[in-house]
Amino acid sequence: MNFYHKHLFIVGSGAIGKALAVFLSQAGRKVTMIRGSVDDGRTTIRRFAVEMEKGVLHEADVEVATLNSLAEIDGIVVVATKSFGNEKLACTLKSKIGDSPLVLLQNGLGIEQPFLEHGYQHVYRCVLFVTSQSIDEVAVRFKPVATCPVGIEHGDKEQLNNIVAHLNTPNFGFKREVHIQHIVWKKAIINCVFNSVCPLLEIDNGIFHRNPGALKIARRVIAECTTIAHAKGIAMQPDDVERGLVQISRLSDGQAISTLQDIWRNKRTEIETLNAEIVRIAEQIHQQDAVRETRLLGELTKIKSERALKST
């Protein structure tokens, strides 16, 4: 089935959702952004702006709806919300999307499970290689790091090709990926480092290429996490993961990682699908002692996040 001319629904109005909506709208796609945190049944048109390097500005008018305002969602559904809400979202969307494909633009391991367990037939997973940070309510700062791969969790190659063609734009690139789980694990391990060390130090992403001490901590976490990946049949080299981390650190120097942004805004973080999920998997295979530093950094980040939430 060809979805190229289908409507595209972006669930989530955060920094990633806004940037994607602007670039797709500029490319002539039919786009509706669905707000995840508000469900008052209203549909409006809002103008959003994306600031890129050297002050280049992209703007577009985007239809903004809520789940209650949409009886049926017929098209491609892109989930750009925080992954801790996936169980509730899987229940809510099930009656609305029918056979529409679902594309997950979220961090972490196991985030697809709620949708698969609820019987979704077309689930695709994307690994983001971009940074995006809110400037205000309608504007974000965006920087692409690499083309974002999309792979199959439950679906078929033809549909995947159509999804990638529909999502891909010059400023926010997507590509088809056969071995998506390997990339999911690699990025999750990198995110375990960024989303714990940076919030605890209250520092930007560039710390790992600037500071040898921070890189040593990253190296130890990578070694722990790749041990668990190997045990789960995902073969990867720690040196390769470290190179990916340093590359992202250089390219996103000055940018704040999403968990730190969430703590600043007194919002819940995704640390449960990162460090905590690696620890959970390690416990399942009786290798909990292999992830002590990953566990400690994750627990400290969770405590910091919970303290920020209590202060609201």
Side-chain angles (χ1 to χ4, degrees), residues 267-304:
K267 292 184 177 181
R268 185 176 173 183
T269 73
E270 292 181 304
I271 202 69
E272 292 293 329
T273 58
L274 296 170
N275 298 56
E277 182 65 11
I278 293 281
V279 171
R280 188 190 68 79
I281 294 169
E283 290 172 344
Q284 280 185 335
I285 59 176
H286 308 293
Q287 292 199 33
Q288 55 267 33
D289 288 342
V291 291
R292 290 179 177 177
E293 200 148 350
T294 303
R295 179 197 296 271
L296 177 61
L297 291 171
E299 289 177 349
L300 289 172
T301 303
K302 184 178 179 181
I303 290 170
K304 185 165 187 171

Side-chain angles (χ1 to χ4, degrees), residues 124 152 155-162 176 178:
Y124 300 86
I152 299 170
D156 61 72
K157 292 180 181 178
E158 182 181 358
Q159 190 175 71
L160 173 61
N161 290 337
N162 286 321
R176 182 173 65 90
V178 176

Side-chain angles (χ1 to χ4, degrees), residues 2-277:
N2 191 334
F3 284 88
Y4 189 78
H5 297 293
K6 284 282 188 177
H7 203 124
L8 197 144
F9 297 87
I10 302 171
V11 183
S13 57
I16 292 293
K18 288 185 178 77
L20 183 61
V22 167
F23 293 134
L24 289 171
S25 296
Q26 287 187 331
R29 312 290 201 270
K30 294 191 294 182
V31 179
T32 296
M33 178 187 292
I34 302 173
R35 298 185 66 183
S37 59
V38 177
D39 203 3
D40 56 13
R42 292 190 303 166
T43 298
T44 60
I45 302 294
R46 299 201 68 179
R47 190 163 188 84
F48 296 110
V50 180
E51 180 185 304
M52 299 187 71
E53 284 189 306
K54 299 179 180 179
V56 175
L57 197 65
H58 298 266
E59 296 182 281
D61 292 325
V62 179
E63 182 181 60
V64 181
T66 63
L67 282 172
N68 272 341
S69 67
L70 301 170
E72 182 181 16
I73 300 175
D74 182 17
I76 300 173
V77 182
V78 180
V79 178
T81 56
K82 297 295 184 180
S83 58
F84 54 73
N86 280 5
E87 176 62 36
K88 181 179 179 181
L89 184 62
C91 294
T92 304
L93 280 178
K94 182 63 177 171
S95 63
K96 294 178 180 285
I97 74 170
D99 288 331
S100 294
L102 192 76
V103 186
L104 303 177
L105 271 64
Q106 299 171 310
N107 290 324
L109 294 170
I111 63 167
E112 68 281 350
Q113 287 306 311
F115 301 98
L116 297 176
E117 290 167 2
H118 281 275
Y120 285 66
Q121 294 302 304
H122 309 283
V123 181
Y124 300 86
R125 180 72 196 270
C126 174
V127 178
L128 290 174
F129 288 106
V130 302
T131 63
S132 192
Q133 186 171 346
S134 295
I135 298 173
D136 56 35
E137 190 175 326
V138 295
V140 300
R141 188 171 292 111
F142 179 85
K143 186 175 183 179
V145 175
T147 304
C148 302
V150 186
I152 299 170
E153 291 290 349
H154 196 287
D156 61 72
K157 292 180 181 178
E158 182 181 358
Q159 190 175 71
L160 173 61
N161 290 337
N162 286 321
I163 288 169
V164 170
H166 199 104
L167 287 175
N168 190 47
T169 61
N171 291 306
F172 200 153
F174 294 85
K175 64 179 180 180
R176 182 173 65 90
E177 175 56 51
V178 176
H179 304 293
I180 193 64
Q181 277 303 314
H182 184 276
I183 301 176
V184 165
W185 268 85
K186 180 178 178 180
K187 182 65 185 309
I189 293 170
I190 290 172
N191 278 334
C192 282
V193 176
F194 276 110
N195 287 276
S196 59
V197 176
C198 292
L200 291 172
L201 294 178
E202 296 190 344
I203 198 71
D204 67 278
N205 295 351
I207 186 64
F208 300 106
H209 83 86
R210 298 193 308 257
N211 187 292
L215 184 58
K216 284 182 180 179
I217 295 172
R219 195 170 289 141
R220 294 197 296 269
V221 173
I222 289 170
E224 290 184 352
C225 293
T226 52
T227 297
I228 304 306
H230 276 278
K232 295 294 290 183
I234 308 292
M236 60 183 62
Q237 297 300 317
D239 288 348
D240 181 50
V241 179
E242 182 181 325
R243 282 192 293 271
L245 178 135
V246 173
Q247 179 191 27
I248 294 172
S249 181
R250 290 185 185 279
L251 291 172
S252 59
D253 198 343
Q255 294 279 335
I257 200 67
S258 60
T259 295
L260 181 54
Q261 294 182 50
D262 290 336
I263 290 172
W264 284 341
R265 296 184 177 89
N266 302 319
K267 292 184 177 181
R268 185 176 173 183
T269 73
E270 292 181 304
I271 202 69
E272 292 293 329
T273 58
L274 296 170
N275 298 56
E277 182 65 11

